Amino acid sequence: MNYYPYFILFVFFAVALYFIFRKKKVIITPLSVDDKKLLENHVTFYAELDKEKKNLFEEKLTRFLGSVKIEGIGTEVSALDRILVGASAVIPILGFNDWEYRNLGTVLLYPDTFNKDFQFGEGDRNILGMVGDGYMNGQMILSQSALRHGFSKSAGNENTGIHEFVHLIDKSDGATDGVPQYFIQHNYTIPWVKMMHQEIAKIEDNKSDINPYAITNEAEFFAVTSEYFFENPERMKDKHPALYDSLSKIFGQQLA
């Protein structure tokens, strides 16, 4: 009996399992004094944490920066940019134990907005950030200017970095559909989807202060409202108490 085809099949599955379950190489480099100053001065979310939560934030940030490459395309990546990308990643997962972005290897920073063909030099350019798919799988693209603006005092309820990392959390169960299956109890899935549609209807009727981009689809609704939740939790709790409560449970964080 010829066992060669079975041997080839076994090798194929062994290699596949290796790439699925292998752990990322993480290079832990403690944050410098300057890094912590950047966090305090530019990331309000971090600055308002107590000492214990700050330590947890810093631990998650160092692991993220040690496992994900941040590269500039047509621009230079500053120390502040690295901190802001890392903060964008950590803020949504601060309430998750041992969570890592296994579906991300590189964050590409473009100087400004770009188009669907990833061009930023000319033509119509209105994309601020994107989670890669297909041949771009494992990569995220962020507008450097949008990233910085998201952490400025004038950003309001919007933060492009957080928005894109929430998409990545959403995508971790295999479907970017606004329902993060790993972080929402099964029996709460239908009520959550129902709430999304009710809130989308209010936005369409101009009866909501949520960014209208949220009506694009369920995935964008989840990302947009998550920006609001992390950037202005007190206002969300006041204006949208049920939505605030749902997002608090999903992210495991009580912010207001």
Side-chain angles (χ1 to χ4, degrees), residues 18-79:
Y18 167 76
F19 281 104
I20 291 172
F21 293 107
R22 68 174 176 167
K23 290 188 175 182
K24 286 184 180 180
K25 182 179 180 181
V26 179
I27 302 173
I28 301 297
T29 303
L31 297 179
S32 67
V33 173
D34 288 339
D35 289 335
K36 293 181 182 181
K37 285 181 179 178
L38 289 174
L39 275 172
E40 284 282 357
N41 295 333
H42 296 275
V43 183
T44 303
F45 181 97
Y46 169 86
E48 294 178 347
L49 295 173
D50 60 31
K51 184 176 181 180
E52 183 180 351
K53 287 289 180 64
K54 281 184 177 178
N55 290 338
L56 177 61
F57 191 104
E58 292 167 13
E59 179 184 334
K60 287 181 176 289
L61 180 60
T62 55
R63 287 193 64 81
F64 176 84
L65 294 177
S67 62
V68 176
K69 295 180 181 178
I70 302 173
E71 300 178 2
I73 305 296
T75 188
E76 294 211 6
V77 178
S78 69

Side-chain angles (χ1 to χ4, degrees), residues 92 95-96 166 169 222 226 229-230 246-253:
F96 302 161
V166 168
I169 291 170
F222 179 46
S226 295
F229 174 76
F230 288 111
S246 296
L247 291 172
S248 294
K249 291 175 181 175
I250 289 173
F251 290 109
Q253 301 187 54

